[in-house]
Every structure is written in C-alpha cells, then in structure tokens.
C-alpha cells in the first residue's frame, strides 16, 4: 500500500469528480454471471467492460521520458521508508537502489517502522546525514513538518513516493515532485473490474486504512464508483490500519464470513497485503482459492500479490504500481532537480494484472524503462 495524504480541498475535488463520473446512470441490464440479476446500469456496465479490457492489455511499452539532463555525478540519497514491511514501500526502495547504482550515486534506506515517532526520527536522521536528496517513502510529509522544514533550510530537495495524492510537484508540503499513479484512476479501475466481472451484480467488502487520508480517499472513490450500479452493494467498509493488518484481518474476515455468508462475492482492498492476511481465514472457512469472494487489490502489486493471483489463492487481480520503474523515476527526478531542470511530469498508466495477462510474472513495469533512463543519464 502506499500511504499518502492530500489536502481536504483536493480530496473533495477528487470525490466530486468521481461523483460526476458515476452520475446519470439508470435502468437495468442482464447479468453475464450466475447472479440472479444485474440490477445496475447498462451504460456503466458497458463502460466498465471497455475500461477493464484496455487496462488488462499486456502491451505496456515505455511511454515515459526519453530526454533529460545527463547524470550529475557524486550525489547521495536517503530513502526514508514509512515501513519496510509495506511491500510497496520496499519495492520502490529496491528500485531506487538499482537506479542509484546505474547512475553512480550512493543511497541509504532508513526505516520509519510505521509509527509517527519512528518516521519523524528517521527523517530527522536523514536530514542530519546531509545527503543530496531525500525520498519521502510512502508517508505524509506533514507528519514530519519540523524535519521537512529543516531539510528545506538545508537546501535538500525532497521527492515523494505516494506522499500526497496527486502526481507532480507540490508546494504544500514542498516536494520537487511526487511519484504516484492517479488515485482516482486506480480506484475507478478496481471498481470497474468488479462491475464488469460480476455483470453489475455483486456483494462487496472494502478493506481500507482510514487513518491514511490517501487510502480513505481511495476507498471512498471505489465505493462511489461501485454505487453506479444499484446491483452492486457495498456490504461492509472495514477500516483496518496497515500496521495492524496481520493481527486484525484474519479475525475480521472470519466475522464477515459468518455474518455475510453467500452475500459476499467480491472484495476490494486499498492494498494487496490485506488478502495475504485474509487467506488463512478464507482457507479455514473452506472457501475456494479462486473465489468467491473474488478479490482485487487497488494498489501496490508486490510479488506476493502476483503469486496469489497466478496460483489462484484468494486474489484474482491487482491494480499494480510499477514499483521498480517508480524507483528509477525517483532517481531521474532528483537528477533533474540537481541539474536545475523541472520535474518530468511522467505518470505511469493504470494497469490491471490477472493470471491471464501476467504470464507468471511477479511484478509489472512498463517495458524498456531502464534502458530509457540509462540513455538519458549516460547517452
């Protein structure tokens, strides 16, 4: 998962946009599943099917930057991680390390251990080390406003990964740029997958972490899009903080299975890791690994999620972040900052990974990104 935050105004704007997208729906349509009826709107169902087909296209050649400044030598980065137990945060850290080696820089990772105090201490330590740049790895910089101010006073640029909801430069908090997919696109893709796959008739449980405004925004956008089809009912909104997921998810899932029984046919989680923690409870209840419930993760796409998907073990799909590519992009963005150039503006496209289109892979990244970045840096 990628814990980030957004101002109330921006979150409201995203929600308003989502509300506009789901407005104007009416009428019923036949189901293409074994559900008794698809009480949702035929227009939205048709749109969802087309959107999912586009997002599942495995042809994902590089469409990012191919020009930029040559490598600025002798730089160092510190990657401050929200928690390295978060597979998305760890996956991006790995990408940053690989890219730093390719460009010829040093990089150090400091783990914030998933707590406000730990993250503040980690960022404080990073500033003390006086690196050339600091990565805000999956947490809200406003939780660490004092440390961010110290970095700014020291002239250390900050690049975020899922640090705020929108991609690109940020003035409050001040980031040279923020690397992320668009939260509204990820939310819509995951909800559209449920609508399309169910034929507009589903009982859905949404797993989220409302303590993280980015995650809370994403889950609300998911639920608003699902509401476009009256035949798709959100049965439960389960707020489980990411640090507590391994402890709480199994018991929450067991309770939901007991209460909802056959009504629960689909799940959407703001992070794939919920399904890793849910699998033992599904297995104990005798649920088949291929579903129902059919589960999609609206974020991360770490290797464990791909393994569950490819082996049909309690996860059917994910809307993956290109974690390695985003790590390389972070390094490229710093290189642009050091060279006095603006941010690249690149935003990775939304993709839906399934067993059918992943061909056994354990990650998703656009093809050719490493070669493109190395050509920019080294000619």
């Amino acid at each position: 998962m990628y814990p980030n935050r957004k101002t109330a105004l921006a979150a409201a704007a995203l929600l308003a946009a989502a509300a506009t997208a789901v407005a104007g729906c009416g009428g019923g349509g036949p189901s293409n599943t074994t559900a008794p009826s698809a009480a949702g709107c035929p227009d939205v169902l048709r749109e969802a099917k087309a959107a999912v087909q586009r997002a599942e296209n495995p042809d994902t050649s590089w469409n990012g930057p191919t020009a930029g400044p040559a490598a600025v030598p002798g730089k160092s980065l510190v990657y401050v991680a929200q928690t390295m137990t978060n597979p998305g945060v760890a996956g991006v850290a790995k990408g940053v390390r690989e890219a730093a080696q390719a460009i010829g820089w040093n990089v150090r990772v400091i783990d914030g251990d998933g707590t406000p105090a730990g993250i503040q201490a980690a960022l404080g330590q990073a500033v003390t080390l006086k690196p050339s740049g600091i990565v805000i790895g999956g947490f809200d910089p406003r939780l660490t406003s004092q440390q961010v101010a110290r970095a700014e006073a020291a002239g250390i640029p900050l690049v975020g990964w899922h640090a705020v909801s929108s991609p690109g430069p940020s003035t409050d908090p001040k980031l040279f740029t923020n690397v992320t997919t668009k939260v509204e696109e990820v939310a819509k893709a995951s909800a559209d997958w449920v609508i399309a796959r169910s034929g507009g008739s589903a009982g859905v449980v949404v797993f989220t972490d409302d303590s993280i405004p980015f995650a809370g925004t994403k889950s609300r956008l998911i639920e608003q899009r699902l509401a476009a089809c009256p035949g798709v009912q959100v049965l439960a909104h389960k707020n489980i903080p990411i640090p507590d997921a391994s402890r709480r998810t199994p018991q929450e899932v067991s309770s939901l299975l007991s209460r909802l029984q056959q009504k629960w046919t689909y799940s959407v989680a703001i992070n794939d890791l919920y399904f890793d923690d849910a699998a033992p409870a599904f297995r104990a209840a005798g649920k088949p690994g291929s579903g129902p419930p059919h589960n999609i993760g609206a974020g991360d796409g770490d290797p464990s999620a791909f393994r569950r998907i490819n082996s049909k073990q309690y996860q059917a799909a994910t809307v993956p972040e290109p974690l390695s590519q985003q790590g390389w992009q972070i390094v490229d963005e710093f290189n642009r900052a050091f060279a006095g150039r603006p941010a690249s503006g690149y935003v990775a496209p939304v993709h839906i990974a399934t067993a059918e289109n992943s061909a056994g892979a354990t990650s998703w990244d656009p093809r050719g990104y490493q070669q493109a970045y190395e050509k920019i840096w080294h000619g």
Side-chain angles (χ1 to χ4, degrees):
M1 148 55 211
Y2 25 86
N4 345 25
R5 313 285 168 127
K6 184 70 176 170
T7 63
L9 284 174
L14 289 176
L15 293 172
T20 301
V22 302
C25 188
S31 173
N32 64 355
T33 70
T34 56
S37 67
C41 343
D43 291 345
V44 169
L45 179 57
R46 188 162 46 249
E47 178 192 334
K49 286 181 176 180
V52 168
Q53 185 177 18
R54 289 192 300 271
E56 289 183 345
N57 186 345
D59 183 13
T60 53
S61 298
W62 178 243
N63 66 342
T66 56
V72 178
K75 297 300 182 179
S76 62
L77 303 178
V78 174
Y79 183 100
V80 179
Q82 180 252 355
T83 171
M84 289 294 281
T85 63
N86 181 326
V89 171
V92 174
K94 183 174 182 289
V96 169
R97 285 190 176 112
E98 292 172 350
Q101 183 177 8
I103 202 171
W105 296 349
N106 294 319
V107 63
R108 177 172 175 177
V109 176
I110 302 177
D111 194 342
D113 295 324
T115 67
I119 293 167
Q120 289 167 4
L123 186 53
Q125 182 184 354
V127 175
T128 300
L129 291 171
K130 299 181 179 178
S132 308
I134 296 174
V135 184
I136 304 296
F139 60 90
D140 182 354
R142 285 168 295 191
L143 290 174
T144 56
S145 57
Q146 292 181 350
Q147 292 81 9
V148 167
R150 285 176 52 203
E152 185 176 353
I156 303 171
L158 305 177
V159 169
W161 179 76
H162 293 206
V164 294
S165 289
S166 295
S170 171
T171 55
D172 182 22
K174 188 173 182 180
L175 302 173
F176 176 74
T177 195
N178 181 55
V179 176
T180 181
T181 49
K182 293 182 179 179
V183 63
E184 62 269 37
E185 292 182 358
V186 173
K188 183 177 182 298
S190 58
D192 279 349
W193 182 86
V194 171
I195 293 168
R197 197 178 192 279
S198 70
S201 181
V204 186
V205 173
V206 176
F207 294 94
T208 187
D209 182 348
D210 286 335
S211 70
I212 302 166
F214 178 86
T217 297
K218 186 192 291 186
S219 60
R220 287 192 296 274
L221 290 167
I222 289 167
E223 291 173 19
Q224 287 191 352
R225 178 59 177 171
L226 292 174
C229 279
V232 177
Q233 181 183 3
V234 175
L235 304 174
H237 173 108
K238 298 309 296 184
N239 173 31
I240 304 174
I242 291 288
D244 298 337
S246 61
R247 177 178 59 85
R248 286 186 49 190
T249 303
Q251 64 190 41
E252 293 280 8
V253 168
S254 294
S255 176
L256 287 166
L257 287 168
S258 176
R259 177 165 62 89
L260 301 175
Q261 299 186 21
Q262 303 305 313
K263 294 180 182 178
W264 181 6
T265 56
Y266 285 81
S267 313
V268 187
I270 53 90
N271 188 292
D272 293 307
L273 63 81
Y274 287 102
F275 300 127
D276 191 30
D277 297 324
F282 285 132
R283 195 173 290 113
K287 291 292 182 180
S290 58
H294 307 286
N295 304 319
I296 183 169
D300 275 15
D302 65 274
S304 65
F306 275 86
R307 285 191 289 269
R308 286 191 298 276
I309 291 166
N310 291 330
S311 60
K312 298 185 178 179
Q313 289 297 303
Y314 306 104
Q315 187 168 351
T318 184
V319 185
E321 296 286 307
L323 300 175
S324 179
Q325 178 272 313
Q326 289 176 333
W328 282 65
Q329 182 180 348
I330 286 168
V331 170
D332 183 65
E333 301 292 4
F334 273 119
N335 193 55
R336 292 168 191 269
F338 300 149
R341 301 278 288 275
S344 73
Y346 177 67
V347 180
V350 166
H351 177 68
I352 298 175
T354 65
E356 288 72 30
N357 69 5
S358 64
T362 56
S363 64
W364 174 77
D365 293 285
R367 291 196 306 273
Y369 70 94
Q370 293 174 327
Q371 296 89 332
Y373 282 126
E374 292 203 61
K375 187 174 181 181
I376 292 172
W377 302 336
H378 303 301

